[in-house]
Amino acid sequence: MCGIVGYLGNKNSKEILLGGLKELEYRGYDSAGIAVLQEGEFNSFKATGKLINLEEKTKDFVTDKFSIGIGHTRWATHGKPTELNAHPHIGDASYVVHNGIIENYAALKKDLIAEGVTFLSQTDTEVIVHQFEKNLKNTTSTFEAFKRTIDELEGAYAILLVTKGEKETIFFAKNGSPMLIGINAENEKYFASSDTPLIGHCTDVNYFEDCDYGYVTPDTFTIFNKDGKEKKPHFTKLLTNKLSAQKDGYRFFMEKEIYEQVDAIANTLLGRLDDNEVLFDELDSTLFEGINEIKLCACGTSYHSALTATYLFERHAKMKTSIEVASEFRYRNPIMHKDMLFIVISQSGETADTLETLKMAKEAGLKTLVICNVDNSSMVRLADSCILTRAGVEKGVASTKAFATQVTIFWMLSLYLAQKKKSLSPQEITKEIALLREVPASVKVSNDMHEYIKRLSKRYLHGHGFFFIGRDVFYPLALEGALKLKEISYLHAEGYPSGEMKHGPIALADPELFTIALLPQHLLYDKTKSNVEELSARDSTICAISSIDFDKADDFIAIPTCKDYMLEFFEMMVALQLLSLEISVRLGNDVDMPRNLAKSVTVE
Ligand code: AGP
């Protein structure tokens, strides 16, 4: 995910900005840049890849006087990871860095282009600096121009802006994306998008609230709230532990990543939805030409998201779709036809088994597509086409936001294909797109639900096993729920299609067998309910997850009433992730680094 730093003071600003960006490396990035205003002159540097490339570019640049500077690490979301798309973005005499998404950027950009502004990048961010400079031409107050610009932006942002006419001022604004300012006894000002760059430099910090905006100079720090009223900063002591600072106040990276799913999915959707069309600009329009079948291959969680795709591709796009566990596919001399599109799915893009199947498909002359979270990974480099999930760095070994973004991509891809094949009507596509827009809200963790699951978890720390059951896409979700639980709790858990329980596993039913039942209101509710009743009648302990109250359950996790089964899918996904997390916490396990597991499995 992107990171922001800013500095105002007399020290070596280049070193401070680069040092701050280094502290944000853990969030992941694919390009970086800084801009420094010293003695009335701007110097700006950008580089793709690791920070060492930026350090190399700035090695002869000296900052030994008072200066102001801003810096950024970018994780590509809108536009490729190129130097032109890296921040800071330049206007005529101003620079900006930004985290978040400017939702109305396309409209603003269109107007600015019509007025003669030239854009250098494909980013949403660049509109901020041009809009500011446009406003500056129509007012004598730089701050007024900045304020007007902020008023015109829609979406989420943390913004730092510097401009040549104000040699001692950094302008800031925050809404939806985190940012803080740190101070110390030497009257310096530091900005960052999380605590870590400030540790060791500052003693006190003020965390900006949504809709805060203002400016700092060497002697002033002025903040306004959303009503335009000046407000007092609220300084608190800065943490001193870097690892806990990286977790942004969460106990574990996994927990942080569950909460981050709202932003991660918003990024996944960004620029890919029109009102009545799904867009994948990164795909060649001929990708599906001559294709009569799709083969999906992946491991672990990625396999589960792909299994969801088999239901969606066949339902929406009427495309024959099959799936294989990559480690099985490799050695069974599979039949591969040229009319088959081969899709691999991987968070890391490095999983050895999946990578090998991709090589096999390429050798067999198949068209290949990878759905991946890491640009420039081995699979991304090898496949003919690539869709990036844009989940941001996932540190917890137990995958959460990677799964959520993969399923989102598959839902979109099934519609993209349905558009091409005209297997859904324009009205149906429009309806699905409206639902997709609701996914970020459906993964927002409610405090009440989290607290409830925390309490509930104490009843599920033992037993002789868990069955997670569901039908249709809720079967892959059940598999994923079971995988999450076993990975971090070390309790035995299985995912099963609910209709299959009576063909064997029901023999295990007793009060010490825990059944986690996924009961979506909008998909096969009655069928699944009867399967759960069969288990309940045999005294299995049932924890039902549904929006409809279920009197045969021992425990009940209520999700809100949704418009569609896919939104129920995402609501239940969060409940399952939290349940595993809280069980693991109670058992005293290392949630982020469970025993025997690695984040990226690069061996066979
Ligand atoms: C997920 O919680 C697991 N840690 C694991 O199953 C993982 O999904 C699998 O190893 C595949 O990884 P990939 O998506 O990076 O290819």
Side-chain angles (χ1 to χ4, degrees):
M1 302 292 250
C2 304
I4 279 186
V5 292
Y7 174 72
L8 177 155
N10 293 311
K11 290 199 188 132
N12 184 339
S13 58
K14 176 185 88 175
E15 292 304 324
I16 288 170
L17 294 171
L18 291 177
L21 294 180
K22 202 147 199 64
E23 294 297 342
L24 294 173
E25 272 193 307
Y26 73 95
R27 300 167 70 92
Y29 64 102
D30 37 46
S31 57
I34 60 169
V36 175
L37 182 57
Q38 182 178 243
E39 294 192 308
E41 284 310 314
F42 263 125
N43 280 281
S44 168
F45 305 87
K46 298 180 187 193
T48 54
K50 293 287 151 199
L51 274 177
I52 186 132
N53 301 337
L54 185 62
E55 283 165 1
E56 183 57 31
K57 283 200 166 180
T58 56
K59 70 175 187 303
D60 299 324
F61 174 48
V62 181
T63 46
D64 53 1
K65 307 188 175 58
F66 172 84
S67 60
I68 58 176
I70 56 179
H72 191 265
T73 45
R74 173 171 187 261
W75 172 283
T77 55
H78 217 99
K80 287 211 152 286
T82 59
E83 229 172 270
L84 278 179
N85 285 335
H87 302 211
H89 287 285
I90 183 176
D92 287 333
S94 321
Y95 282 90
V96 71
V97 290
H98 158 235
N99 284 355
I101 301 162
I102 303 302
E103 283 163 10
N104 61 334
Y105 90 99
L108 293 172
K109 187 171 177 174
K110 199 166 152 224
D111 291 349
L112 286 162
I113 289 174
E115 289 162 30
V117 174
T118 307
F119 278 77
L120 301 174
S121 77
Q122 301 160 299
T123 64
D124 52 336
T125 300
E126 197 182 340
V127 296
I128 303 171
V129 71
H130 294 308
Q131 194 69 18
F132 164 74
E133 293 196 333
K134 171 182 158 178
N135 289 330
L136 196 53
K137 286 185 191 135
N138 300 321
T139 169
T140 48
S141 156
T142 315
F143 179 59
E144 181 54 30
F146 181 71
K147 181 184 176 318
R148 270 188 214 173
T149 307
I150 298 306
D151 289 344
E152 286 158 347
L153 301 179
E154 287 168 19
Y157 47 78
I159 292 170
L160 294 180
L161 183 140
V162 286
T163 186
K164 214 164 178 178
E166 301 282 346
K167 298 177 184 54
E168 300 194 337
T169 309
I170 298 180
F171 298 92
F172 61 84
K174 185 256 188 233
N175 185 35
S177 295
M179 188 161 66
L180 68 155
I181 182 171
I183 54 167
N184 57 23
E186 293 162 82
N187 212 20
E188 297 169 288
K189 312 280 191 307
Y190 289 75
F191 289 90
S193 46
S194 76
D195 292 346
T196 30
L198 273 47
I199 294 173
H201 293 293
C202 305
T203 48
D204 297 84
V205 288
N206 169 82
Y207 294 88
F208 291 115
E209 288 172 26
D210 280 347
C211 303
D212 281 358
Y213 63 96
Y215 56 91
V216 291
T217 67
D219 307 314
T220 55
F221 170 30
T222 312
I223 325 182
F224 298 87
N225 66 14
K226 64 173 187 313
D227 303 320
K229 300 232 163 57
E230 194 171 338
K231 63 186 253 188
K232 273 200 169 143
H234 174 67
F235 281 103
T236 52
K237 288 285 164 211
L238 179 61
L239 281 173
T240 52
N241 178 318
K242 282 194 178 165
L243 188 63
S244 71
Q246 287 182 356
K247 290 182 194 148
D248 286 346
Y250 294 102
R251 296 164 296 170
F252 301 97
F253 281 110
M254 181 188 176
E255 184 179 32
K256 177 172 176 252
E257 287 156 8
I258 293 171
Y259 277 75
E260 271 172 7
Q261 290 179 122
V262 178
D263 289 340
I265 294 178
N267 273 334
T268 306
L269 299 176
L270 184 69
R272 288 171 170 159
L273 296 183
D274 217 337
D275 283 347
N276 40 30
E277 198 185 1
V278 176
L279 312 162
F280 279 110
D281 291 343
E282 55 273 73
L283 297 184
D284 189 309
S285 59
T286 62
L287 179 68
F288 289 99
E289 272 175 25
I291 297 298
N292 291 315
E293 188 180 345
I294 290 176
K295 171 72 78 185
L296 298 151
C297 230
C299 303
T301 288
S302 298
Y303 172 84
H304 298 153
S305 75
L307 188 56
T308 310
T310 61
Y311 293 85
L312 299 177
F313 285 173
E314 295 205 345
R315 182 164 299 144
H316 293 154
K318 308 288 174 250
M319 175 67 90
K320 185 174 171 200
T321 308
S322 59
I323 179 163
E324 305 257 355
V325 168
S327 54
E328 283 299 307
F329 187 78
R330 286 179 68 173
Y331 297 108
R332 63 172 192 74
N333 300 324
I335 296 169
M336 293 190 259
H337 311 278
K338 291 264 168 43
D339 65 350
M340 186 186 258
L341 174 68
F342 195 81
I343 307 184
V344 286
I345 309 89
S346 174
Q347 187 284 131
S348 61
E350 303 297 344
T351 302
D353 284 321
T354 313
L355 182 59
E356 206 48 46
T357 64
L358 178 59
K359 288 181 189 161
M360 286 164 63
K362 288 219 62 149
E363 271 161 35
L366 269 59
K367 282 191 188 175
T368 57
L369 165 68
V370 59
I371 292 170
C372 191
N373 192 33
V374 182
D375 201 5
N376 286 321
S377 58
S378 302
M379 288 183 220
V380 170
R381 290 198 308 270
L382 189 64
D384 302 323
S385 312
C386 160
I387 298 178
L388 291 176
T389 48
R390 306 174 180 166
V393 169
E394 191 180 64
K395 287 196 123 187
V397 166
S399 205
T400 51
K401 58 180 181 167
F403 177 75
T405 52
Q406 287 170 346
V407 175
T408 306
I409 291 284
F410 280 128
W411 186 1
M412 282 195 281
L413 196 57
S414 71
L415 302 177
Y416 178 82
L417 190 48
Q419 283 162 198
K420 295 214 171 280
K421 295 189 70 196
K422 302 200 181 345
S423 52
L424 289 181
S425 67
Q427 293 75 7
E428 285 169 315
I429 300 269
T430 305
K431 186 178 150 245
E432 293 284 322
I433 288 174
L435 292 170
L436 269 163
R437 291 190 195 280
E438 294 187 31
V439 178
S442 70
V443 295
K444 191 167 171 19
V445 179
S446 96
N447 284 342
D448 288 351
M449 183 197 266
H450 197 164
E451 277 312 309
Y452 175 69
I453 290 177
K454 230 179 233 175
R455 270 184 287 123
L456 186 70
S457 61
K458 63 175 172 285
R459 298 167 59 151
Y460 291 91
L461 307 177
H462 59 289
H464 60 71
F466 286 74
F467 271 90
F468 287 69
I469 61 168
R471 280 174 181 259
D472 202 280
V473 291
F474 294 87
Y475 163 50
L477 183 60
L479 287 170
E480 176 59 10
L483 180 67
K484 286 290 85 78
L485 185 68
K486 64 186 145 205
E487 277 187 295
I488 59 173
S489 73
Y490 319 139
L491 294 167
H492 180 73
E494 276 188 68
Y496 235 76
S498 16
E500 190 65 12
M501 290 299 284
K502 57 185 168 300
H503 297 288
I506 203 165
L508 293 167
D510 71 15
E512 296 296 292
L513 180 82
F514 299 138
T515 300
I516 312 294
L518 307 180
L519 283 158
Q521 180 181 353
H522 295 293
L523 196 71
L524 300 169
Y525 179 81
D526 290 329
K527 300 274 173 214
T528 316
K529 189 169 158 238
S530 341
N531 302 141
V532 183
E533 280 165 354
E534 286 153 16
L535 281 151
S536 166
R538 281 145 189 96
D539 229 8
S540 169
T541 298
I542 311 283
C543 173
I545 309 183
S546 185
S547 58
I548 304 178
D549 212 4
F550 182 49
D551 58 3
K552 300 280 183 340
D554 300 271
D555 288 309
F556 185 72
I557 300 176
I559 59 156
T561 306
C562 302
K563 286 187 200 140
D564 182 82
Y565 74 91
M566 281 306 288
L567 297 179
E568 295 183 291
F569 179 100
F570 284 101
E571 294 275 358
M572 289 187 193
M573 177 197 75
V574 174
L576 292 175
Q577 292 166 340
L578 292 173
L579 184 64
S580 297
L581 171 79
E582 294 306 336
I583 290 175
S584 173
V585 173
R586 280 190 187 270
L587 292 171
N589 298 342
D590 185 340
V591 170
D592 288 328
M593 269 186 279
R595 69 185 185 203
N596 308 335
L597 297 180
K599 183 69 189 160
S600 178
V601 186
T602 52
V603 291
E604 202 179 331

